[in-house]
Amino acid sequence: MRNAVPVSLPASDRPRSPGTPGGAAGQRLRAIDTLLADRGQLFQALFLSAPIAKALVDLDGHVLVANPRMCALTGRTPESLSGRHVDLLAHPDDPPVGDLGLEPAPGEPALDPNLLYDGERRLRRSDGSELWVVQSHEVVRQNNGTPQFVVLSLVDVTDRRRAEEDAVRRAYTDPLTGLPNRRALTDRLRHAVALSRRRGLHVGLVHLNIDRFQAVNDALGHEAGDLLLSQFADRLRWSTRVEDTAVRLGADEFLVVAEDVEDLDGLRALADRLLSVLDEPFVVSDREITLSASVGLTLGADMTPDDLLRQAQSALTKAKADGSRARIEVYEGALTHSEVDALQLETDLRHALDHDELRLFYQPIVHLADETLLGYEALIRWQHPTRGLLPPGAFLDAAENNRLTSKLGAWVLRRACLDAATWTEDLRVHVNISARHLAEEGFAELVAAALEESGLQPQRLELEITESTALFAAEATLHAVGVVTEAGVTLALDDFGTGYSAITALHRLPIHTVKIDRSFVADVVTEPSTAALVHGLLQLGRGMGLQVIAEGIEDLDQADWLLRHGCAMAQGFAFGRPAPLPNPAEVLIGEVTQAPVEDVAGELLPEPAAPPAVPRPRIPPTPEAHDLQDTGPLASRTLFDDLADDD
Ligand code: C2E
Ligand code: MG
Ligand code: MG
């Protein structure tokens, strides 16, 4: 007999020693022996040598004998199969067959449900691999018709099954990028909508279209275009969360389905992260290519997948209207008006950065005793194409809410250093730094790069941070600040006194200057309690060996009071409003420019590189504090000048 298979007849689901004659197992043993003895040849031909995996199983599912093919198919030895319940072969990820509610056919005995199952099912080999079989069963009865055993047959259909799965996968996958395709989308979307609705959340769609992709194809050829698309798809895949699905809809159109989006902010953050895949240029055929994408966003819960898709498409169409690029549009119905405004602002701000719409205005910082110009604070403005000149308060928050902060901060830093390098060497430049930017990796390197590019001495740069930045600075921030100050750059604590822990803040960081907030300066003359506070702040600053600048000085009384109380430096409308630099072409490094520049009112103003030593301030002609139209060319446009003009 080939491959003799030991026969053991267990009575439970654990391998056991052959039963003792007389018990139930003993009876089964005798029956098998009889079968082997009486029908040895037949058994050999039909069972043991059969090319199909077969097992003789008792009625409650325990294997009595398995043929060699069954052992080979399941990767198990005869010993490890005999006596075990057939359940052993089931795939653990599939629901137990017992849960399927299978009933024996009329006239069939009550068998273990694993034996009743006829059809295709998944099993697991001993090495853990997956196995697909078509299972069938045959009941063997005694002469009197009593069911005795079941012959279980398994036909291996794994290859066929794999081929089918491959075909399905191919049908639902984009061959170029390996991402799911449009056909796969509806299913995923339906699933995402159902799941998110159950959790009380939304499904978000980010519909991206690469800008001017046709031009890339035309210029570099379709092969390069294909490479670019698959690189883009890879980056997209890496930047999605596990619960999101990136889909390629067609040529240069992609869609990300995000489950469980809480609100629009969450969706925006996602879109932002996705867009950051475009920050780095792509390299194709040894050429660097920078891409941008237009984006349509929508958010929904109780909605059909088709409606959601239509909304995302309509937002994208709007983003691409008039040949626009790199715009993000949100489907309007998904948002309130203020949300639309905020989002539009972000989009426009991105555009502003790329299209040179940002400006730096400079406000003089002077020595209070004699108004000698000491330097300028750089203050950002946005020359908005339709809304005119915008103050920082109108757009900095929009930048804070997304990754524009660092882009904007880097722009300011670089611009300010380049500008300051054109001034006379005794003038310093103050640059405001947002807490978020300061905490970002690479901040110290950014400062070093701005200094190097401009050639500005580090000692001429002062970074202004707010109290809360200093207080809640993370280790990374402290480190960055350490590196920067080590190089000679100084640090100012802006809006000093407005936080709750000004003094604590001073201990956290190597502060060089404190700037007393203009809200204190405003009532220092009229409010005794404010006067007491400012007096205290001045003493504190001096006591700690810090420089003190009073901000927002608008009139002579304030200037006098501060001077009398020991404040050495000042900034405010009384000494000059924030104003743009004159045309850089007219400013020569280290030289005094001869050509004075005309301001809005047509007055001739002095050049920043040659600031006049101005006398003590006198009361100005009441400038409107937030009037942005006042901005003449950069100058120590002083009170003295105003009065001189009047004379
Ligand atoms: P800040 O750093 O405290 O800047 C001083 C602000 O006070 C400026 O407002 C300036 O125009 C205003 N100011 C100066 N003198 C007077 C005065 O005599 N009276 C009155 N009423 N106001 C005066 P601005 O330019 O609107 O800037 C507001 C804030 O925006 C700045 O406050 C700063 O925190 C932030 N900021 C400005 N530029 C930048 C920037 O480039 N980066 C960052 N991160 N923040 C900036
Ligand atoms: Mg400041
Ligand atoms: Mg301030």
Side-chain angles (χ1 to χ4, degrees):
M1 195 152 78
R2 189 165 59 101
N3 291 337
V5 178
V7 177
S8 63
L9 298 174
S12 79
D13 60 354
R14 269 178 288 111
R16 286 150 297 183
S17 57
T20 42
Q27 282 169 13
R28 279 195 296 269
L29 178 61
R30 276 196 301 280
I32 283 281
D33 282 344
T34 311
L35 190 71
L36 285 172
D38 294 355
R39 318 258 167 84
Q41 271 195 2
L42 197 59
F43 188 71
Q44 168 78 26
L46 293 182
F47 186 83
L48 295 177
S49 308
I52 292 173
K54 285 176 181 289
L56 205 57
V57 186
D58 69 11
L59 303 183
D60 58 5
H62 292 96
V63 177
L64 301 171
V65 190
N67 75 354
R69 180 73 194 119
M70 173 67 84
C71 295
L73 185 66
T74 59
R76 294 177 187 276
T77 58
E79 295 78 14
S80 68
L81 271 176
S82 74
R84 302 295 298 274
H85 195 277
V86 287
D87 200 17
L88 170 77
L89 304 176
H91 198 285
D93 295 345
D94 288 343
V97 181
D99 292 357
L100 300 178
L102 295 173
E103 294 289 339
E108 270 219 358
L111 302 176
D112 182 276
N114 282 281
L115 304 179
L116 281 177
Y117 186 94
D118 280 344
E120 202 159 303
R121 68 182 292 206
R122 185 163 65 150
L123 302 179
R124 194 169 69 163
R125 291 196 181 88
S126 65
D127 64 3
S129 60
E130 184 182 277
L131 170 70
W132 281 92
V133 296
V134 172
Q135 173 178 320
S136 59
H137 77 283
E138 193 74 41
V139 180
V140 178
R141 297 168 193 268
Q142 287 174 334
N143 287 343
N144 63 7
T146 314
Q148 202 174 7
F149 315 110
V150 169
V151 177
L152 192 70
S153 304
L154 304 179
V155 178
D156 182 5
V157 293
T158 311
D159 288 346
R160 197 236 316 137
R161 185 81 192 195
R162 291 260 156 78
E164 278 171 10
E165 280 171 2
D166 268 4
V168 170
R169 199 173 301 126
R170 271 199 303 278
Y172 287 94
T173 306
D174 169 53
L176 176 67
T177 60
L179 291 180
N181 61 14
R182 190 184 279 275
R183 200 184 278 174
L185 176 67
T186 321
D187 225 29
R188 305 231 174 173
L189 203 49
R190 196 171 296 126
H191 171 82
V193 168
L195 209 73
S196 298
R197 189 188 298 144
R198 222 175 300 141
R199 296 181 181 146
L201 296 164
H202 298 93
V203 172
L205 295 192
V206 181
H207 195 160
L208 299 120
N209 185 293
I210 299 179
D211 296 326
R212 302 188 68 243
F213 187 71
Q214 189 53 44
V216 175
N217 259 343
D218 292 346
L220 302 179
H222 284 262
E223 215 168 293
D226 282 356
L227 270 175
L228 205 58
L229 285 174
S230 56
Q231 286 185 25
F232 176 75
D234 283 345
R235 292 191 189 181
L236 211 56
R237 200 181 350 240
W238 295 332
S239 61
T240 48
R241 307 170 304 172
V242 272
E243 58 269 40
D244 304 336
T245 310
V247 175
R248 182 175 177 217
L249 293 181
D252 55 352
E253 260 185 58
F254 296 81
L255 187 109
V256 175
V257 180
E259 283 174 16
D260 293 352
V261 179
E262 237 168 69
D263 52 20
L264 195 69
D265 279 346
L267 183 63
R268 242 178 274 170
L270 173 74
D272 217 44
R273 197 175 61 239
L274 294 177
L275 278 179
S276 71
V277 305
L278 297 170
D279 285 353
E280 288 287 313
F282 294 81
V283 179
V284 170
S285 321
D286 288 336
R287 292 178 65 160
E288 283 204 348
I289 297 158
T290 304
L291 294 180
S292 67
S294 303
V295 179
L297 297 179
T298 195
L299 198 63
D302 272 326
M303 215 176 285
T304 67
D306 278 351
D307 283 346
L308 261 180
L309 285 174
R310 249 192 303 279
Q311 291 188 358
Q313 176 67 58
S314 122
L316 178 65
T317 308
K318 204 166 153 205
K320 292 196 82 92
D322 317 323
S324 285
R325 288 183 222 157
R327 283 182 81 90
I328 302 179
E329 284 286 346
V330 177
Y331 179 75
E332 280 214 28
L335 305 174
T336 64
H337 273 301
S338 64
E339 283 170 327
V340 173
D341 285 351
L343 209 87
Q344 191 56 52
L345 189 67
E346 277 175 38
T347 310
D348 290 353
L349 194 51
R350 263 177 220 284
H351 186 268
L353 270 159
D354 296 336
H355 292 79
D356 202 24
E357 290 171 10
L358 297 178
R359 307 274 178 271
L360 279 189
F361 276 28
Y362 291 94
Q363 185 177 30
I365 297 170
V366 300
H367 197 258
L368 191 50
D370 57 9
E371 264 195 73
T372 314
L373 186 64
L374 301 171
Y376 294 96
E377 175 172 6
L379 294 160
I380 194 164
R381 301 288 183 267
W382 177 5
Q383 188 64 59
H384 193 281
T386 54
R387 294 164 64 188
L389 193 66
L390 299 181
F395 61 90
L396 278 187
D397 278 353
E400 278 290 312
N401 289 339
N402 57 47
R403 66 197 175 81
L404 284 180
T405 313
S406 50
K407 242 182 146 179
L408 197 124
W411 180 87
V412 171
L413 204 54
R414 176 172 180 272
R415 188 69 264 154
C417 288
L418 286 170
D419 287 345
T422 67
W423 307 339
T424 52
E425 292 211 339
D426 53 335
L427 294 181
R428 307 184 75 224
V429 65
H430 287 229
V431 176
N432 294 286
I433 303 294
S434 97
R436 187 164 161 176
H437 190 201
L438 188 62
E440 272 181 27
E441 212 180 301
F443 179 79
E445 290 77 8
L446 188 77
V447 175
L451 290 169
E452 191 180 324
E453 187 193 358
S454 61
L456 188 75
Q457 290 295 309
Q459 292 73 16
R460 292 179 60 199
L461 176 63
E462 184 145 314
L463 302 181
E464 296 195 2
I465 59 170
T466 58
E467 249 170 54
S468 52
T469 311
L471 265 183
F472 301 112
E475 277 312 307
T477 306
L478 300 181
H479 176 75
V481 164
V483 173
V484 170
T485 50
E486 194 73 14
V489 174
T490 53
L491 214 57
L493 201 56
D494 206 352
D495 308 341
F496 187 51
T498 53
Y500 295 104
S501 315
I503 300 166
T504 319
L506 289 177
H507 282 293
R508 292 267 295 163
L509 291 166
I511 302 292
H512 175 265
T513 308
V514 290
K515 298 185 77 174
I516 298 182
D517 191 65
R518 67 171 189 268
S519 59
F520 300 120
V521 172
D523 350 299
V524 78
V525 181
T526 49
E527 279 288 331
S529 58
T530 308
L533 185 80
V534 173
H535 187 55
L537 290 176
L538 284 167
Q539 279 187 326
L540 176 74
R542 267 208 314 276
M544 292 186 73
L546 303 169
Q547 289 204 343
V548 182
I549 301 178
E551 279 190 306
I553 300 182
E554 293 184 355
D555 62 39
L556 176 66
D557 292 342
Q558 292 164 351
D560 260 346
W561 191 99
L562 286 156
L563 189 62
R564 272 190 285 113
H565 288 82
C567 180
M569 296 159 76
Q571 184 180 347
F573 292 168
F575 310 99
R577 288 178 172 240
L581 270 184
N583 183 349
E586 294 161 23
V587 183
L588 300 173
I589 296 175
E591 269 183 37
V592 174
T593 306
Q594 299 306 309
V597 193
E598 228 171 309
D599 85 345
V600 201
E603 298 159 315
L604 292 181
L605 296 169
E607 233 321 288
V614 283
R616 294 280 318 280
R618 292 153 59 194
I619 300 172
T622 54
E624 177 49 46
H626 294 293
D627 176 11
L628 288 163
Q629 303 311 314
D630 64 325
T631 47
L634 170 67
S636 52
R637 169 102 192 126
T638 65
L639 181 54
F640 176 73
D641 295 316
D642 287 324
L643 294 176
D645 290 339
D646 290 340
D647 285 344

